[in-house]
Amino acid sequence: MSAYKIEVENLNAWYDYKHILIDINMKIKERTVTAIMGPSGCGKTTFIRCLNRMHELVPKAKVSGKVIFNNLNIYDNNVDPTWIRRKIGMVFQKPNPFPMMSIYDNVAFGPKIHGIKKRSILDKIVKQSLEMAGLWEEVKDDLQKPASALSGGQQQRLCIARALALEPEVILMDEPTSHLDPISATKIEMLIRKLAENYTVVIVTHNMQQAARISDYVAFLYMGRLVEYGPTKEVFERPKNELTERYITGKIS
């Protein structure tokens, strides 16, 4: 079995006529944290949205190339995008729990949609997912309270629990700490490292210090192209490309 969970081959992406990603090739190792960094507008978010076929939900969006997940090209005609988005989950930049639902129902929503109705099974999924997201002890006595009652950091961990409830193999995160206070952000960073023991995590970040702290591998995108990709320590301490060095030292932003 391949050590790589996702293999990206000649990936290109467009919004209408705007070419956002240009010939991206990279292999993402299983059970690691890979950070995608680069200046605003370089294609970071588009890249991870291509990894679970969310990009195509945007009107006039197009993709070419391959994304191999478990030896399957997710863009093959016979592949169900809904299944892909279940196995490759997404956590967005701004916490987005379902505000009119309880904490419990937020986590149980996905399993219910996929046919699980038995309360005892749902209870187990909710508890396990909240535990993995580091939220169970904080909310176990308040599961019927609305998700909107939680703090921003708790809401983001709830969104992570909601993704975990669908039993993904990969978790994509689009700047998951950018709207959080430092204490909440630290909790999310610690959680990401913990999740990498069992999941493959790909995170978009503008924060180079964060990338250095939590990732095993880092990819630097610039103007839609993959400039450099490798072990985090190596890229930060001995970048091979001048553009990477200039970005890391703040000469371009």
Side-chain angles (χ1 to χ4, degrees):
M1 183 177 289
S2 172
Y4 298 107
K5 196 66 176 177
I6 294 177
E7 299 181 44
V8 179
E9 300 178 4
N10 298 318
L11 181 68
N12 287 263
W14 294 262
Y15 287 116
D16 202 0
Y17 294 104
K18 188 174 183 182
H19 202 169
I20 305 296
L21 296 175
I22 305 167
D23 297 329
I24 304 293
N25 290 276
M26 64 186 292
K27 296 180 178 181
I28 298 172
K29 282 195 171 184
E30 188 169 17
R31 297 186 182 183
T32 58
V33 178
T34 299
I36 313 297
M37 66 178 190
S40 296
C42 69
K44 300 186 298 296
T45 295
T46 298
F47 175 70
I48 64 166
R49 288 175 66 90
C50 287
L51 297 185
N52 75 343
R53 295 190 59 170
M54 287 194 70
H55 177 66
E56 66 195 59
L57 297 175
V58 179
K60 298 184 178 181
K62 295 184 296 182
V63 176
S64 72
K66 294 181 179 180
V67 175
I68 309 298
F69 166 66
N70 288 346
N71 299 313
L72 174 75
N73 179 17
I74 70 171
Y75 285 98
D76 280 347
N77 291 332
N78 61 343
V79 175
D80 179 3
T82 303
W83 180 80
I84 290 298
R85 293 174 199 135
R86 178 180 178 181
K87 302 309 289 183
I88 305 177
M90 175 77 82
V91 176
F92 297 94
Q93 186 177 61
K94 189 174 181 181
N96 64 339
F98 305 130
M100 303 305 291
M101 288 187 185
S102 68
I103 295 167
Y104 181 100
D105 287 337
N106 260 271
V107 182
F109 181 80
K112 285 181 179 178
I113 289 293
H114 287 89
I116 298 175
K117 305 298 182 186
K118 193 173 181 180
R119 181 73 185 205
S120 61
I121 297 176
L122 290 171
D123 286 350
K124 184 178 179 180
I125 291 171
V126 169
K127 183 175 187 288
Q128 186 178 45
S129 301
L130 288 169
E131 284 177 338
M132 287 190 292
L135 192 57
W136 173 253
E137 290 298 325
E138 297 171 40
V139 302
K140 63 183 180 181
D141 297 322
D142 300 311
L143 294 178
Q144 297 310 315
K145 285 189 175 181
S148 56
L150 297 174
S151 69
Q154 289 175 323
Q155 287 186 22
Q156 191 65 298
R157 281 183 283 149
L158 178 63
C159 292
I160 293 171
R162 192 173 66 193
L164 292 172
L166 289 171
E167 298 184 333
E169 296 179 38
V170 178
I171 303 172
L172 310 173
M173 298 187 176
D174 187 6
E175 297 193 64
T177 64
S178 63
H179 289 271
L180 304 180
D181 63 87
I183 293 174
S184 297
T186 298
K187 288 182 179 180
I188 296 290
E189 288 186 2
M190 292 172 63
L191 174 58
I192 289 169
R193 285 305 325 169
K194 183 71 175 174
L195 289 172
E197 295 174 10
N198 298 296
Y199 302 91
T200 303
V201 182
V202 183
I203 175 173
V204 166
T205 180
H206 266 106
N207 187 325
M208 281 185 284
Q209 289 76 25
Q210 181 177 74
R213 281 193 300 269
I214 69 172
S215 69
D216 303 294
Y217 295 86
V218 64
F220 171 53
L221 295 184
Y222 190 75
M223 296 182 68
R225 296 183 183 275
L226 178 60
V227 174
E228 190 157 346
Y229 175 52
T232 300
K233 183 178 176 67
E234 190 175 299
V235 171
F236 275 97
E237 294 183 1
R238 297 181 300 278
K240 295 175 182 176
N241 192 289
E242 183 185 351
L243 268 177
T244 311
E245 190 273 337
R246 290 176 63 197
Y247 181 74
I248 289 170
T249 56
K251 293 174 185 174
I252 57 173
S253 59

